[in-house]
Amino acid sequence: MKGRDFLKLLDFTPAEILKLIDLAADLKAKKKAGIPHRLCEGKNIVLLFEKDSTRTRCAFEVAGVDLGMSVTYLGPSGSQMGKKESIADTARVLSGMYDGIEYRGFGQTIVEDLAKYSKVPVWNGLTNEFHPTQILADMLTIREQFGYLKGINFVYMGDARYNMGNSLMVGCAKLGLNFTACCPEKYFPDKGLIAKCEEVAAQTGASLRFETDPAKAVKNADVIYTDVWVSMGEPEEVWAERIAELSPYQVNKTLMEKTGKKETVFMHCLPAFHDLKTVIGKEIGEKFNISAMEVTDEVFESERSIVFDEAENRMHTIKAVMAATL
């Protein structure tokens, strides 16, 4: 994979994705054992963030240092890309100074253009359409929990039209998991992407299902996954609509019990509105008279929740992507 970009999982074969997960598991074991793994000694990488983040930034920075690299972070106001300098020019300038470029921001076309004009690997840290590094972390976490991936019954609750719904569907199709998106029909993924994933699923043995009834969706589920109901960059006005339409799809104790399995785990890419202990959470809670949104605190803090294992694995899987492509 040396020299390749990491823009979306559709670009990789199931075998290549599994190799990245295997490498991540190996690098994780080395870190836990205190074994140095400076595989990219002396290289330099730059992180272009047009959207702020906790996990993605920290994961790339720690992973880079562990691999022996120096890391430059450019936040939302840290570069002239798209303002005074074109994406093409930015890519050519940065790829002359750095050995790898990470981008986290808006449209997928931006990271694709960066890769088009860059002489070095470009990694997608999140776009509106795809979030491939998160899916690698999710799959590593599921495999750690169950010992396998193929045949896992995976249910995504909530708005499935954007990066997480899209990317989880792709990841499940590629690796043979049975994927269900549960939400109102208007929140189903793009039909074109569904068609692509169905082609992949036909080769891997995965199944794709789209359900509006939560009870039907979660029956026999091994994993229940959700995400925030309003994505970064969306206007505040959409909160009322989303809360009204997606509240029936909240992950709570009653829903978890409807799986019929004691082993079902809960996952979330974070941050989560599971209580009112954040500024936005408190404002939304007071305005709409609710104590939680996409997941209740009872589920989030339960023994079934593996969200913090999942968060840690962002770093190990991102490390694998950078090591493999550099």
PDB file of all heavy atoms in Angstrom, residues 216-248:
ATOM      1  N   LYS A 216     -37.967  -4.303  14.934  1.00  0.00           N
ATOM      2  CA  LYS A 216     -37.584  -5.270  13.905  1.00  0.00           C
ATOM      3  C   LYS A 216     -36.095  -5.170  13.590  1.00  0.00           C
ATOM      4  O   LYS A 216     -35.422  -6.174  13.369  1.00  0.00           O
ATOM      5  CB  LYS A 216     -38.401  -5.034  12.633  1.00  0.00           C
ATOM      6  CG  LYS A 216     -39.864  -5.399  12.732  1.00  0.00           C
ATOM      7  CD  LYS A 216     -40.554  -5.142  11.403  1.00  0.00           C
ATOM      8  CE  LYS A 216     -42.044  -5.480  11.476  1.00  0.00           C
ATOM      9  NZ  LYS A 216     -42.727  -5.181  10.183  1.00  0.00           N
ATOM     10  N   ALA A 217     -35.602  -3.941  13.559  1.00  0.00           N
ATOM     11  CA  ALA A 217     -34.210  -3.713  13.166  1.00  0.00           C
ATOM     12  C   ALA A 217     -33.224  -4.343  14.140  1.00  0.00           C
ATOM     13  O   ALA A 217     -32.214  -4.920  13.724  1.00  0.00           O
ATOM     14  CB  ALA A 217     -33.946  -2.217  13.049  1.00  0.00           C
ATOM     15  N   VAL A 218     -33.477  -4.231  15.433  1.00  0.00           N
ATOM     16  CA  VAL A 218     -32.477  -4.637  16.416  1.00  0.00           C
ATOM     17  C   VAL A 218     -32.587  -6.094  16.846  1.00  0.00           C
ATOM     18  O   VAL A 218     -31.736  -6.586  17.595  1.00  0.00           O
ATOM     19  CB  VAL A 218     -32.524  -3.736  17.671  1.00  0.00           C
ATOM     20  CG1 VAL A 218     -32.317  -2.283  17.297  1.00  0.00           C
ATOM     21  CG2 VAL A 218     -33.822  -3.925  18.448  1.00  0.00           C
ATOM     22  N   LYS A 219     -33.593  -6.819  16.397  1.00  0.00           N
ATOM     23  CA  LYS A 219     -33.730  -8.223  16.787  1.00  0.00           C
ATOM     24  C   LYS A 219     -32.489  -9.003  16.358  1.00  0.00           C
ATOM     25  O   LYS A 219     -32.070  -8.947  15.213  1.00  0.00           O
ATOM     26  CB  LYS A 219     -34.977  -8.835  16.160  1.00  0.00           C
ATOM     27  CG  LYS A 219     -35.267 -10.247  16.646  1.00  0.00           C
ATOM     28  CD  LYS A 219     -36.549 -10.786  16.046  1.00  0.00           C
ATOM     29  CE  LYS A 219     -36.824 -12.200  16.559  1.00  0.00           C
ATOM     30  NZ  LYS A 219     -38.068 -12.762  15.973  1.00  0.00           N
ATOM     31  N   ASN A 220     -31.855  -9.691  17.314  1.00  0.00           N
ATOM     32  CA  ASN A 220     -30.641 -10.489  17.097  1.00  0.00           C
ATOM     33  C   ASN A 220     -29.405  -9.645  16.784  1.00  0.00           C
ATOM     34  O   ASN A 220     -28.389 -10.186  16.319  1.00  0.00           O
ATOM     35  CB  ASN A 220     -30.844 -11.515  15.985  1.00  0.00           C
ATOM     36  CG  ASN A 220     -31.865 -12.568  16.355  1.00  0.00           C
ATOM     37  OD1 ASN A 220     -31.899 -13.042  17.506  1.00  0.00           O
ATOM     38  ND2 ASN A 220     -32.720 -12.954  15.412  1.00  0.00           N
ATOM     39  N   ALA A 221     -29.458  -8.359  17.044  1.00  0.00           N
ATOM     40  CA  ALA A 221     -28.295  -7.500  16.773  1.00  0.00           C
ATOM     41  C   ALA A 221     -27.140  -7.828  17.712  1.00  0.00           C
ATOM     42  O   ALA A 221     -27.329  -8.046  18.913  1.00  0.00           O
ATOM     43  CB  ALA A 221     -28.675  -6.036  16.916  1.00  0.00           C
ATOM     44  N   ASP A 222     -25.938  -7.856  17.143  1.00  0.00           N
ATOM     45  CA  ASP A 222     -24.722  -7.990  17.947  1.00  0.00           C
ATOM     46  C   ASP A 222     -24.178  -6.617  18.336  1.00  0.00           C
ATOM     47  O   ASP A 222     -23.611  -6.452  19.418  1.00  0.00           O
ATOM     48  CB  ASP A 222     -23.645  -8.753  17.163  1.00  0.00           C
ATOM     49  CG  ASP A 222     -24.062 -10.162  16.814  1.00  0.00           C
ATOM     50  OD1 ASP A 222     -24.385 -10.921  17.737  1.00  0.00           O
ATOM     51  OD2 ASP A 222     -24.084 -10.497  15.614  1.00  0.00           O
ATOM     52  N   VAL A 223     -24.351  -5.656  17.433  1.00  0.00           N
ATOM     53  CA  VAL A 223     -23.851  -4.291  17.641  1.00  0.00           C
ATOM     54  C   VAL A 223     -24.967  -3.308  17.326  1.00  0.00           C
ATOM     55  O   VAL A 223     -25.610  -3.413  16.278  1.00  0.00           O
ATOM     56  CB  VAL A 223     -22.646  -3.984  16.730  1.00  0.00           C
ATOM     57  CG1 VAL A 223     -22.184  -2.535  16.929  1.00  0.00           C
ATOM     58  CG2 VAL A 223     -21.505  -4.951  16.977  1.00  0.00           C
ATOM     59  N   ILE A 224     -25.207  -2.367  18.233  1.00  0.00           N
ATOM     60  CA  ILE A 224     -26.084  -1.237  17.950  1.00  0.00           C
ATOM     61  C   ILE A 224     -25.223   0.024  17.993  1.00  0.00           C
ATOM     62  O   ILE A 224     -24.531   0.287  18.973  1.00  0.00           O
ATOM     63  CB  ILE A 224     -27.239  -1.131  18.954  1.00  0.00           C
ATOM     64  CG1 ILE A 224     -28.166  -2.345  18.807  1.00  0.00           C
ATOM     65  CG2 ILE A 224     -28.029   0.154  18.739  1.00  0.00           C
ATOM     66  CD1 ILE A 224     -29.351  -2.334  19.749  1.00  0.00           C
ATOM     67  N   TYR A 225     -25.276   0.790  16.925  1.00  0.00           N
ATOM     68  CA  TYR A 225     -24.402   1.946  16.738  1.00  0.00           C
ATOM     69  C   TYR A 225     -25.272   3.173  16.468  1.00  0.00           C
ATOM     70  O   TYR A 225     -26.281   3.095  15.769  1.00  0.00           O
ATOM     71  CB  TYR A 225     -23.517   1.678  15.514  1.00  0.00           C
ATOM     72  CG  TYR A 225     -22.272   2.518  15.375  1.00  0.00           C
ATOM     73  CD1 TYR A 225     -21.014   1.933  15.437  1.00  0.00           C
ATOM     74  CD2 TYR A 225     -22.332   3.894  15.149  1.00  0.00           C
ATOM     75  CE1 TYR A 225     -19.860   2.675  15.281  1.00  0.00           C
ATOM     76  CE2 TYR A 225     -21.177   4.644  14.999  1.00  0.00           C
ATOM     77  CZ  TYR A 225     -19.941   4.021  15.061  1.00  0.00           C
ATOM     78  OH  TYR A 225     -18.802   4.773  14.918  1.00  0.00           O
ATOM     79  N   THR A 226     -24.876   4.306  17.005  1.00  0.00           N
ATOM     80  CA  THR A 226     -25.573   5.554  16.673  1.00  0.00           C
ATOM     81  C   THR A 226     -24.582   6.704  16.628  1.00  0.00           C
ATOM     82  O   THR A 226     -23.405   6.549  16.968  1.00  0.00           O
ATOM     83  CB  THR A 226     -26.707   5.840  17.676  1.00  0.00           C
ATOM     84  OG1 THR A 226     -27.537   6.886  17.164  1.00  0.00           O
ATOM     85  CG2 THR A 226     -26.163   6.262  19.037  1.00  0.00           C
ATOM     86  N   ASP A 227     -25.066   7.852  16.192  1.00  0.00           N
ATOM     87  CA  ASP A 227     -24.245   9.055  16.073  1.00  0.00           C
ATOM     88  C   ASP A 227     -25.143  10.250  16.387  1.00  0.00           C
ATOM     89  O   ASP A 227     -26.367  10.120  16.468  1.00  0.00           O
ATOM     90  CB  ASP A 227     -23.671   9.147  14.654  1.00  0.00           C
ATOM     91  CG  ASP A 227     -22.633  10.251  14.497  1.00  0.00           C
ATOM     92  OD1 ASP A 227     -22.158  10.775  15.525  1.00  0.00           O
ATOM     93  OD2 ASP A 227     -22.302  10.598  13.347  1.00  0.00           O
ATOM     94  N   VAL A 228     -24.539  11.414  16.523  1.00  0.00           N
ATOM     95  CA  VAL A 228     -25.322  12.616  16.797  1.00  0.00           C
ATOM     96  C   VAL A 228     -26.330  12.862  15.682  1.00  0.00           C
ATOM     97  O   VAL A 228     -26.114  12.476  14.536  1.00  0.00           O
ATOM     98  CB  VAL A 228     -24.411  13.859  16.955  1.00  0.00           C
ATOM     99  CG1 VAL A 228     -23.555  13.736  18.192  1.00  0.00           C
ATOM    100  CG2 VAL A 228     -23.540  14.059  15.722  1.00  0.00           C
ATOM    101  N   TRP A 229     -27.438  13.493  16.027  1.00  0.00           N
ATOM    102  CA  TRP A 229     -28.512  13.708  15.057  1.00  0.00           C
ATOM    103  C   TRP A 229     -28.284  14.922  14.165  1.00  0.00           C
ATOM    104  O   TRP A 229     -28.894  15.050  13.119  1.00  0.00           O
ATOM    105  CB  TRP A 229     -29.842  13.855  15.801  1.00  0.00           C
ATOM    106  CG  TRP A 229     -30.309  12.578  16.417  1.00  0.00           C
ATOM    107  CD1 TRP A 229     -29.923  11.314  16.083  1.00  0.00           C
ATOM    108  CD2 TRP A 229     -31.263  12.444  17.473  1.00  0.00           C
ATOM    109  NE1 TRP A 229     -30.578  10.389  16.857  1.00  0.00           N
ATOM    110  CE2 TRP A 229     -31.410  11.046  17.722  1.00  0.00           C
ATOM    111  CE3 TRP A 229     -32.013  13.343  18.228  1.00  0.00           C
ATOM    112  CZ2 TRP A 229     -32.269  10.554  18.698  1.00  0.00           C
ATOM    113  CZ3 TRP A 229     -32.870  12.861  19.202  1.00  0.00           C
ATOM    114  CH2 TRP A 229     -32.999  11.466  19.438  1.00  0.00           C
ATOM    115  N   VAL A 230     -27.419  15.822  14.577  1.00  0.00           N
ATOM    116  CA  VAL A 230     -27.095  16.999  13.763  1.00  0.00           C
ATOM    117  C   VAL A 230     -25.592  17.009  13.541  1.00  0.00           C
ATOM    118  O   VAL A 230     -24.818  17.020  14.499  1.00  0.00           O
ATOM    119  CB  VAL A 230     -27.558  18.307  14.436  1.00  0.00           C
ATOM    120  CG1 VAL A 230     -27.142  19.505  13.598  1.00  0.00           C
ATOM    121  CG2 VAL A 230     -29.068  18.295  14.631  1.00  0.00           C
ATOM    122  N   SER A 231     -25.163  16.985  12.292  1.00  0.00           N
ATOM    123  CA  SER A 231     -23.748  16.914  11.966  1.00  0.00           C
ATOM    124  C   SER A 231     -23.083  18.280  12.076  1.00  0.00           C
ATOM    125  O   SER A 231     -23.747  19.322  12.050  1.00  0.00           O
ATOM    126  CB  SER A 231     -23.568  16.375  10.541  1.00  0.00           C
ATOM    127  OG  SER A 231     -24.114  15.089  10.411  1.00  0.00           O
ATOM    128  N   MET A 232     -21.758  18.265  12.175  1.00  0.00           N
ATOM    129  CA  MET A 232     -20.997  19.502  12.244  1.00  0.00           C
ATOM    130  C   MET A 232     -21.241  20.352  11.003  1.00  0.00           C
ATOM    131  O   MET A 232     -21.229  19.848   9.886  1.00  0.00           O
ATOM    132  CB  MET A 232     -19.505  19.186  12.354  1.00  0.00           C
ATOM    133  CG  MET A 232     -19.074  18.696  13.713  1.00  0.00           C
ATOM    134  SD  MET A 232     -17.280  18.438  13.801  1.00  0.00           S
ATOM    135  CE  MET A 232     -17.089  17.034  12.739  1.00  0.00           C
ATOM    136  N   GLY A 233     -21.480  21.631  11.224  1.00  0.00           N
ATOM    137  CA  GLY A 233     -21.682  22.551  10.115  1.00  0.00           C
ATOM    138  C   GLY A 233     -23.127  22.771   9.739  1.00  0.00           C
ATOM    139  O   GLY A 233     -23.440  23.674   8.962  1.00  0.00           O
ATOM    140  N   GLU A 234     -24.034  21.943  10.274  1.00  0.00           N
ATOM    141  CA  GLU A 234     -25.455  22.125   9.970  1.00  0.00           C
ATOM    142  C   GLU A 234     -26.032  23.238  10.835  1.00  0.00           C
ATOM    143  O   GLU A 234     -25.611  23.433  11.972  1.00  0.00           O
ATOM    144  CB  GLU A 234     -26.228  20.831  10.193  1.00  0.00           C
ATOM    145  CG  GLU A 234     -25.900  19.730   9.192  1.00  0.00           C
ATOM    146  CD  GLU A 234     -26.873  18.571   9.295  1.00  0.00           C
ATOM    147  OE1 GLU A 234     -26.649  17.689  10.137  1.00  0.00           O
ATOM    148  OE2 GLU A 234     -27.848  18.565   8.544  1.00  0.00           O
ATOM    149  N   PRO A 235     -27.025  23.968  10.343  1.00  0.00           N
ATOM    150  CA  PRO A 235     -27.606  25.082  11.110  1.00  0.00           C
ATOM    151  C   PRO A 235     -28.402  24.602  12.312  1.00  0.00           C
ATOM    152  O   PRO A 235     -28.927  23.476  12.333  1.00  0.00           O
ATOM    153  CB  PRO A 235     -28.519  25.768  10.087  1.00  0.00           C
ATOM    154  CG  PRO A 235     -28.860  24.696   9.106  1.00  0.00           C
ATOM    155  CD  PRO A 235     -27.622  23.844   9.013  1.00  0.00           C
ATOM    156  N   GLU A 236     -28.489  25.454  13.326  1.00  0.00           N
ATOM    157  CA  GLU A 236     -29.199  25.112  14.551  1.00  0.00           C
ATOM    158  C   GLU A 236     -30.684  24.848  14.313  1.00  0.00           C
ATOM    159  O   GLU A 236     -31.313  24.104  15.067  1.00  0.00           O
ATOM    160  CB  GLU A 236     -29.051  26.250  15.571  1.00  0.00           C
ATOM    161  CG  GLU A 236     -27.647  26.390  16.136  1.00  0.00           C
ATOM    162  CD  GLU A 236     -27.582  27.448  17.221  1.00  0.00           C
ATOM    163  OE1 GLU A 236     -28.658  27.858  17.699  1.00  0.00           O
ATOM    164  OE2 GLU A 236     -26.474  27.867  17.579  1.00  0.00           O
ATOM    165  N   GLU A 237     -31.214  25.420  13.236  1.00  0.00           N
ATOM    166  CA  GLU A 237     -32.651  25.290  12.981  1.00  0.00           C
ATOM    167  C   GLU A 237     -33.087  23.839  12.770  1.00  0.00           C
ATOM    168  O   GLU A 237     -34.268  23.516  12.921  1.00  0.00           O
ATOM    169  CB  GLU A 237     -33.043  26.091  11.732  1.00  0.00           C
ATOM    170  CG  GLU A 237     -32.781  27.594  11.822  1.00  0.00           C
ATOM    171  CD  GLU A 237     -31.331  27.944  11.535  1.00  0.00           C
ATOM    172  OE1 GLU A 237     -30.854  27.713  10.418  1.00  0.00           O
ATOM    173  OE2 GLU A 237     -30.676  28.440  12.471  1.00  0.00           O
ATOM    174  N   VAL A 238     -32.147  22.952  12.402  1.00  0.00           N
ATOM    175  CA  VAL A 238     -32.560  21.574  12.102  1.00  0.00           C
ATOM    176  C   VAL A 238     -32.758  20.734  13.361  1.00  0.00           C
ATOM    177  O   VAL A 238     -33.301  19.630  13.292  1.00  0.00           O
ATOM    178  CB  VAL A 238     -31.539  20.869  11.170  1.00  0.00           C
ATOM    179  CG1 VAL A 238     -31.364  21.643   9.888  1.00  0.00           C
ATOM    180  CG2 VAL A 238     -30.205  20.665  11.868  1.00  0.00           C
ATOM    181  N   TRP A 239     -32.351  21.244  14.523  1.00  0.00           N
ATOM    182  CA  TRP A 239     -32.475  20.467  15.761  1.00  0.00           C
ATOM    183  C   TRP A 239     -33.917  20.033  16.020  1.00  0.00           C
ATOM    184  O   TRP A 239     -34.182  18.867  16.335  1.00  0.00           O
ATOM    185  CB  TRP A 239     -31.960  21.272  16.954  1.00  0.00           C
ATOM    186  CG  TRP A 239     -30.477  21.202  17.152  1.00  0.00           C
ATOM    187  CD1 TRP A 239     -29.579  22.210  16.943  1.00  0.00           C
ATOM    188  CD2 TRP A 239     -29.710  20.077  17.583  1.00  0.00           C
ATOM    189  NE1 TRP A 239     -28.308  21.780  17.224  1.00  0.00           N
ATOM    190  CE2 TRP A 239     -28.356  20.478  17.624  1.00  0.00           C
ATOM    191  CE3 TRP A 239     -30.033  18.773  17.942  1.00  0.00           C
ATOM    192  CZ2 TRP A 239     -27.335  19.612  18.011  1.00  0.00           C
ATOM    193  CZ3 TRP A 239     -29.011  17.908  18.325  1.00  0.00           C
ATOM    194  CH2 TRP A 239     -27.679  18.338  18.350  1.00  0.00           C
ATOM    195  N   ALA A 240     -34.865  20.956  15.904  1.00  0.00           N
ATOM    196  CA  ALA A 240     -36.263  20.639  16.199  1.00  0.00           C
ATOM    197  C   ALA A 240     -36.774  19.509  15.312  1.00  0.00           C
ATOM    198  O   ALA A 240     -37.419  18.563  15.786  1.00  0.00           O
ATOM    199  CB  ALA A 240     -37.132  21.881  16.030  1.00  0.00           C
ATOM    200  N   GLU A 241     -36.462  19.598  14.015  1.00  0.00           N
ATOM    201  CA  GLU A 241     -36.900  18.567  13.073  1.00  0.00           C
ATOM    202  C   GLU A 241     -36.275  17.211  13.402  1.00  0.00           C
ATOM    203  O   GLU A 241     -36.970  16.184  13.445  1.00  0.00           O
ATOM    204  CB  GLU A 241     -36.516  18.971  11.654  1.00  0.00           C
ATOM    205  CG  GLU A 241     -36.862  17.921  10.602  1.00  0.00           C
ATOM    206  CD  GLU A 241     -36.327  18.287   9.230  1.00  0.00           C
ATOM    207  OE1 GLU A 241     -35.614  19.302   9.115  1.00  0.00           O
ATOM    208  OE2 GLU A 241     -36.617  17.549   8.282  1.00  0.00           O
ATOM    209  N   ARG A 242     -34.974  17.204  13.655  1.00  0.00           N
ATOM    210  CA  ARG A 242     -34.286  15.940  13.926  1.00  0.00           C
ATOM    211  C   ARG A 242     -34.773  15.293  15.223  1.00  0.00           C
ATOM    212  O   ARG A 242     -34.973  14.075  15.289  1.00  0.00           O
ATOM    213  CB  ARG A 242     -32.770  16.166  13.994  1.00  0.00           C
ATOM    214  CG  ARG A 242     -32.156  16.716  12.737  1.00  0.00           C
ATOM    215  CD  ARG A 242     -32.058  15.675  11.624  1.00  0.00           C
ATOM    216  NE  ARG A 242     -31.694  16.332  10.375  1.00  0.00           N
ATOM    217  CZ  ARG A 242     -30.470  16.734  10.050  1.00  0.00           C
ATOM    218  NH1 ARG A 242     -29.466  16.534  10.889  1.00  0.00           N
ATOM    219  NH2 ARG A 242     -30.247  17.318   8.895  1.00  0.00           N
ATOM    220  N   ILE A 243     -34.933  16.102  16.258  1.00  0.00           N
ATOM    221  CA  ILE A 243     -35.392  15.551  17.534  1.00  0.00           C
ATOM    222  C   ILE A 243     -36.791  14.959  17.393  1.00  0.00           C
ATOM    223  O   ILE A 243     -37.076  13.868  17.900  1.00  0.00           O
ATOM    224  CB  ILE A 243     -35.344  16.627  18.634  1.00  0.00           C
ATOM    225  CG1 ILE A 243     -33.877  16.943  18.990  1.00  0.00           C
ATOM    226  CG2 ILE A 243     -36.101  16.168  19.883  1.00  0.00           C
ATOM    227  CD1 ILE A 243     -33.697  18.124  19.908  1.00  0.00           C
ATOM    228  N   ALA A 244     -37.650  15.643  16.664  1.00  0.00           N
ATOM    229  CA  ALA A 244     -39.013  15.148  16.472  1.00  0.00           C
ATOM    230  C   ALA A 244     -39.032  13.843  15.674  1.00  0.00           C
ATOM    231  O   ALA A 244     -39.760  12.901  16.009  1.00  0.00           O
ATOM    232  CB  ALA A 244     -39.850  16.206  15.766  1.00  0.00           C
ATOM    233  N   GLU A 245     -38.220  13.781  14.627  1.00  0.00           N
ATOM    234  CA  GLU A 245     -38.274  12.624  13.724  1.00  0.00           C
ATOM    235  C   GLU A 245     -37.404  11.457  14.156  1.00  0.00           C
ATOM    236  O   GLU A 245     -37.688  10.298  13.806  1.00  0.00           O
ATOM    237  CB  GLU A 245     -37.890  13.064  12.310  1.00  0.00           C
ATOM    238  CG  GLU A 245     -38.887  14.059  11.717  1.00  0.00           C
ATOM    239  CD  GLU A 245     -38.527  14.499  10.309  1.00  0.00           C
ATOM    240  OE1 GLU A 245     -37.380  14.285   9.892  1.00  0.00           O
ATOM    241  OE2 GLU A 245     -39.402  15.073   9.645  1.00  0.00           O
ATOM    242  N   LEU A 246     -36.347  11.733  14.920  1.00  0.00           N
ATOM    243  CA  LEU A 246     -35.415  10.661  15.276  1.00  0.00           C
ATOM    244  C   LEU A 246     -35.544  10.176  16.716  1.00  0.00           C
ATOM    245  O   LEU A 246     -34.938   9.164  17.081  1.00  0.00           O
ATOM    246  CB  LEU A 246     -33.976  11.106  15.005  1.00  0.00           C
ATOM    247  CG  LEU A 246     -33.636  11.328  13.521  1.00  0.00           C
ATOM    248  CD1 LEU A 246     -32.222  11.879  13.375  1.00  0.00           C
ATOM    249  CD2 LEU A 246     -33.784  10.037  12.731  1.00  0.00           C
ATOM    250  N   SER A 247     -36.324  10.854  17.544  1.00  0.00           N
ATOM    251  CA  SER A 247     -36.500  10.409  18.936  1.00  0.00           C
ATOM    252  C   SER A 247     -36.963   8.957  19.052  1.00  0.00           C
ATOM    253  O   SER A 247     -36.514   8.239  19.956  1.00  0.00           O
ATOM    254  CB  SER A 247     -37.472  11.336  19.672  1.00  0.00           C
ATOM    255  OG  SER A 247     -36.854  12.582  19.932  1.00  0.00           O
ATOM    256  N   PRO A 248     -37.836   8.462  18.162  1.00  0.00           N
ATOM    257  CA  PRO A 248     -38.222   7.052  18.241  1.00  0.00           C
ATOM    258  C   PRO A 248     -37.060   6.094  17.997  1.00  0.00           C
ATOM    259  O   PRO A 248     -37.179   4.890  18.272  1.00  0.00           O
ATOM    260  CB  PRO A 248     -39.279   6.914  17.135  1.00  0.00           C
ATOM    261  CG  PRO A 248     -39.812   8.292  16.940  1.00  0.00           C
ATOM    262  CD  PRO A 248     -38.631   9.187  17.141  1.00  0.00           C
TER     263      PRO A 248
END
